[in-house]
Amino acid sequence: MKRWFKRSALPPPALSRSEPPWLFAVALATTLPHAFTQPFWLTAWAGLCWVWALILWRNDRRLPARWLLLPLALAGALAIRIEFGSFFGREPGVAVLVLFMALKLLEMRQRRDAVVVIMLGYFLLLTHYFEAQDIPTALWMLFALWLVSAALLRLHAGALAVRPVLTQSARLLAQALPLMLIFYLFFPRIPGPLWGLPQDAFSARTGLSESMAPGSIGQLVQNGAIAFRVRFDGPVPPKNRLYWRGPVLTAFDGQRWQSGPVTGGKPVIDAAGEDIAYEMTLEAHGQRWLLALDAPRQLPADARADARLTVLLARPLESRQRFRLSAALDYRFNEEETATSRALNLALPAGFNPRTVALAETWRNTRTPEQIVAAALTHFRTEAFYYTLQPPLLGRDSVDEFLFVSRRGFCEHYAAAFVVLMRAAGIPARVVTGYQGGEINPHDGFLVVRQSDAHAWAEVWLAGRGWVRVDPTAAVAPERIERGLASALPAGEPLPFFMRASNDWLRPLLQRWEALNNAWQQQVLGYDQLRQQALLQRLGLPGGWQTLAWLLAGLSTLGLVLLTTLLLYQKRRTPPEIRLWQHALRRTGVHCAPAESPLALAARLARENPETAQRLAPVIESFVLVRYAPDGREHLATLRAAVAALGRRRTP
């Protein structure tokens, strides 16, 4: 017991000169992807700490004292608290890990500090998937995992060369692949985001919202990100019939359109012709609506259509999901409408846009509702209106200024002005937001709908016909509906990068990449509960977590047995003199570094522990003869006898 206390009082082992570069590489590989998502000041802070630690190591200078690192840590934590408003959540949590990693590089004095850096590296690897789950992220994570594991091996294996350490790390990862595949296929698939805190599960999402003001959709179309992908069971409908229905806006305060209250019961759709079936892969947008092709008929089990024909999911869309739907392109919707709904869609704020109201009243007194709709579209078509992403700012009476002064606007300007005209003329009307069109990717056959395809149109209610779609944009810029946004805007308009004509050579490359990424999402990331249940059914197994638990336990046990068998087989392939040498070292409790030769070990033991050196001397002499003498194999029996003579290891 006395010797134990004496041994435990020894200082922990210090890092050698050759070990910090591995830890610098770990810190760089695990934090570099966050440089594109974290605040600039944190990226600069982490970079300065990394460079500072590297310079100190290169010049063999002493690391800063702990009393200096403490205020640096407190200052960094305070800055994170000010930046994010909390320490809890996805983004502040990742920021804290990045801060800790940067500061830990400045106190790498002992072996345990190096272990902390490696453990932080493993944690930071997981956080990369909080921001993206695409192929580049997966490849980078695989590379970083290989590097971090190699650093851990290097830390415990001693002064090995770089190549053997990297090779051994790759071998370990390859051995883990079967177990990883088992867990991928049979671990219960849990719905929801990778990060589940409610307050930030939907952060960093872009898309439509339940409100619209002049310029809101114009800003959205600058984003070329994919909103959803669609694969039709049959031929793809013409582009001018692809209206993807989202939030319906009924409340207008003179400046902004809002969703407003929903009145009425289930929508009544009278469809003509056959439905069009399709599968949609919808990106997470953190809202409940499902952007269905107008008019939606067959819906997913956990979705419903409200009285305004907006398809709503049971819960917000927190992760990319696939849905099976069908739609009727020729239909009538709610031919009978409640008085409450008609009144709600006639409301206008008092005292706004007097010129627009006066124009509509002249139509109201002399024309039928159908003629009023036609007159408004003719007004847009014949007057000098311009379709542009750069309209001038509008004041209090925004519709008056747009219709009679600027006459420049994007789809939300035309839809909003048309609805105000209809309401002022006594026709129930509302704004519908969503997406229009899409582009077929020739490499996988999916219709790709981007944020830049965001659109707004109008609906009017006509007696005997129900709600009828009217798109004023088609009257001003029919090219937008027929061929897409790039064809409708005049030269010089700020288009998303991939839409510019100068980048036509880049579009095929982008399409190939998106097809590859889509395959990754569909086949790998899209492996959800339904596909897992389908796999179990194909294997003839019942569903449920009990089956998955037994499968995981059985297959994991089988994998471990196979791995153990492989290791034992490799051990049997080890030369007998090496096995005897390792056995002798274990019996005597002697540690021999991989780079230490038997004769060097004998010399060291003679200085440090003469008694053990004397016991091990016959083994060392016989081992050297077996390994290096021309007739070495003839001395194997002598070596075996010398090892047997050691007896069991003596307890201190």
Side-chain angles (χ1 to χ4, degrees), residues 90 130-131 133 193-195 200-208 223 283-287 317-320 451:
R90 185 186 67 189
F130 292 165
E131 299 296 337
Q133 300 180 27
L194 183 62
W195 182 265
D200 64 358
F202 311 138
S203 63
R205 304 297 186 195
T206 61
L208 300 172
N223 186 352
E283 299 292 326
H285 52 61
Q287 306 293 341
L317 190 67
E318 304 168 356
S319 59
R320 182 188 300 106
Q451 299 294 350

Side-chain angles (χ1 to χ4, degrees), residues 166-377:
L166 295 177
T167 302
Q168 180 64 16
S169 177
R171 185 179 296 114
L172 290 175
L173 293 181
Q175 292 171 352
L177 281 177
L179 197 61
M180 181 180 67
L181 182 61
I182 290 172
F183 275 85
Y184 170 77
L185 291 175
F186 299 112
F187 193 85
R189 315 302 289 185
I190 301 173
L194 183 62
W195 182 265
L197 290 186
Q199 63 266 31
D200 64 358
F202 311 138
S203 63
R205 304 297 186 195
T206 61
L208 300 172
S209 66
E210 291 187 337
S211 65
M212 184 189 78
S216 58
I217 295 182
Q219 294 175 358
L220 181 59
V221 299
Q222 297 293 334
N223 186 352
I226 294 176
F228 54 91
R229 293 180 173 92
V230 176
R231 184 190 288 276
F232 289 93
D233 290 0
V236 180
K239 180 174 285 190
N240 60 2
R241 308 204 70 183
L242 295 176
Y243 281 83
W244 307 95
R245 192 181 186 94
V248 178
L249 312 179
T250 59
F252 182 52
D253 62 5
Q255 298 290 328
R256 179 178 293 273
W257 289 86
Q258 303 282 350
S259 177
V262 180
T263 60
K266 296 178 63 176
V268 179
I269 300 176
D270 183 13
E274 295 184 358
D275 289 356
I276 296 176
Y278 62 95
E279 183 180 76
M280 167 184 286
T281 303
L282 184 59
E283 299 292 326
H285 52 61
Q287 306 293 341
R288 289 182 57 202
W289 55 72
L290 196 160
L291 298 154
L293 184 62
D294 209 2
R297 297 265 287 168
Q298 176 187 342
L299 303 178
D302 60 343
R304 64 175 182 85
D306 66 10
R308 296 185 294 208
L309 207 55
T310 298
V311 179
L312 299 174
L313 299 169
R315 58 184 60 86
L317 190 67
E318 304 168 356
S319 59
R320 182 188 300 106
Q321 292 188 34
R322 286 190 304 240
F323 303 96
R324 289 288 304 176
L325 302 100
S326 70
L329 298 185
D330 298 306
Y331 64 94
R332 289 192 175 188
F333 164 40
N334 277 13
E335 294 183 45
E336 299 294 331
E337 190 60 279
T338 65
T340 302
S341 176
R342 293 199 303 271
L344 181 67
N345 289 284
L346 284 170
L348 285 174
F352 284 86
N353 306 301
R355 296 180 65 183
T356 302
V357 173
L359 174 62
E361 288 178 348
T362 62
W363 295 340
R364 181 176 187 175
N365 297 330
T366 58
R367 306 182 186 189
T368 64
E370 288 81 0
Q371 291 173 337
I372 293 174
V373 172
L377 293 178

Side-chain angles (χ1 to χ4, degrees), residues 94-178:
V94 174
V96 168
L97 288 177
V98 172
L99 175 67
F100 286 173
M101 175 65 86
L103 293 176
K104 194 62 183 177
L105 295 177
L106 294 171
E107 62 169 5
M108 291 191 305
R109 295 177 173 85
Q110 301 165 353
R111 188 67 57 88
R112 63 188 180 190
D113 296 320
V115 173
V116 171
V117 170
I118 292 173
M119 293 301 105
L120 280 174
Y122 280 123
F123 273 105
L124 280 167
L125 278 181
L126 176 63
T127 64
H128 295 172
Y129 259 177
F130 292 165
E131 299 296 337
Q133 300 180 27
D134 51 17
I135 295 176
T137 302
L139 293 176
W140 183 266
M141 285 185 63
L142 186 61
F143 163 75
L145 177 63
W146 171 54
L147 185 61
V148 176
S149 301
L152 184 61
L153 284 171
R154 175 62 180 78
L155 189 65
H156 291 283
L160 290 181
V162 174
R163 187 171 180 177
V165 172
L166 295 177
T167 302
Q168 180 64 16
S169 177
R171 185 179 296 114
L172 290 175
L173 293 181
Q175 292 171 352
L177 281 177

